[in-house]
Amino acid sequence: MSLDRFYPIFDHTDWLERVLPLGIKLVQLRIKDQPDAVIREQIAKGRDLCAQYGCALVINDYWQAAIDLGVEWLHLGQEDLDEADLKAIQKAGLKLGVSTHDDDELERVLAIEPAYVALGPVYPTILKKMKWHQQGLPRVTEWKERVGSIPLVGIGGMNVERAPGVLEAGADIVSAVTDITLNADPEARVRQWIEVTR
C-alpha cells in the first residue's frame, strides 16, 4: 500500500470529523495527557471514522491500545521505542513508523525495518521544544538516499508553501500540525494541502 503524500496530525477525533470528508487519506491521532479510557475511546472512534472514509489511521505512542483495538498503523518516537514491546507490535502485524533526528537514531530504526521513517524538524517548529535544530532540505535528500525505498516523512515547521520544496528534496510524505490547527480556516488549508501534494 502506498501512503498518501499529505500526512496531517491531530490530537482529537473532533478534527477527524471535520477534515476526513475533505479527502484526507493518511492521518495520525496524537493524544496527550488523557486517561486510558479516553485514549481508547478516541482510538476506537478514529478507527471507525477512518474506515468510513478510506483513510489510513496512525496511532501515536499507544501501541497496546492500537493492538487491542485493531488499528493497522503505529508511530513511535525514540523514547517510546525504549518502552514498547516491538515483538508484540510485529506479531500483531502493525505497520510501524518512527521519528528520527540524527544518525544514531536512523541506524537504530533501520534495523527494525520500519514502514516509514520520519525526519524532523525540517524547519523550526513551535509545536514542541526540541534539542535538534532545523535539519534543512539537504538533510532530507541525504536521509532519502539512506532509507532507499522506505517512505520518508518530512515533519517540523511545515506549511503549504514549503511542502513542494520538501517533496522535491526527497521526502515522500509531508506532515503538518499547526499549519492546519492554528489556521483561521482549517478546512480551506487542508484543501490547499491536498492540492499541492497530489
Side-chain angles (χ1 to χ4, degrees):
M1 164 187 181
S2 67
L3 293 169
D4 197 73
R5 299 207 303 170
F6 173 44
Y7 183 16
I9 298 173
F10 300 105
D11 63 1
H12 198 280
T13 54
D14 287 354
W15 280 105
L16 303 191
E17 290 177 328
R18 290 176 68 176
V19 300
L20 286 176
L22 304 175
I24 285 173
K25 294 300 170 192
L26 174 64
V27 71
Q28 184 182 125
L29 196 54
R30 181 194 281 165
I31 307 161
K32 296 290 180 191
D33 306 319
Q34 294 293 329
D36 189 61
V38 172
I39 290 162
R40 286 174 176 266
E41 179 191 333
Q42 282 283 297
I43 291 173
K45 186 175 179 184
R47 175 200 64 203
D48 296 346
L49 281 166
C50 286
Q52 181 185 340
Y53 286 99
C55 177
L57 172 66
V58 183
I59 294 301
N60 182 281
D61 195 6
Y62 301 107
W63 60 270
Q64 188 62 62
I67 291 171
D68 295 345
L69 294 165
V71 176
E72 288 182 42
W73 287 86
L74 178 69
H75 181 93
L76 294 176
Q78 289 291 319
E79 301 82 12
D80 306 318
L81 268 183
D82 295 333
E83 296 160 18
D85 185 340
L86 292 178
K87 285 191 174 143
I89 290 165
Q90 287 167 335
K91 189 177 173 192
L94 264 72
K95 301 179 187 85
L96 177 62
V98 188
S99 300
T100 62
H101 311 87
D102 60 34
D103 293 317
D104 290 342
E105 291 181 357
L106 181 61
E107 289 307 315
R108 177 190 189 192
V109 167
L110 290 177
I112 60 174
E113 301 181 353
Y116 70 75
V117 171
L119 169 66
V122 177
Y123 293 100
T125 176
I126 60 170
L127 188 64
K128 54 183 174 180
K129 283 273 185 214
M130 288 192 158
K131 63 181 179 182
W132 296 275
H133 297 293
Q134 67 185 76
Q135 305 275 5
L137 296 181
R139 186 84 152 173
V140 174
T141 305
E142 178 199 337
W143 240 237
K144 185 57 191 172
E145 287 168 2
R146 291 173 66 180
V147 302
S149 61
I150 300 168
L152 178 66
V153 179
I155 188 169
M158 290 298 165
N159 59 35
V160 166
E161 294 73 24
R162 288 170 169 167
V166 177
L167 293 167
E168 282 168 26
D172 302 287
I173 299 164
V174 181
S175 190
V177 186
T178 56
D179 189 58
I180 300 163
T181 58
L182 298 182
N183 196 282
D185 188 344
E187 285 85 355
R189 196 61 165 171
V190 164
R191 289 188 190 97
Q192 289 179 310
W193 268 102
I194 289 171
E195 195 176 313
V196 301
T197 53
R198 291 201 184 142

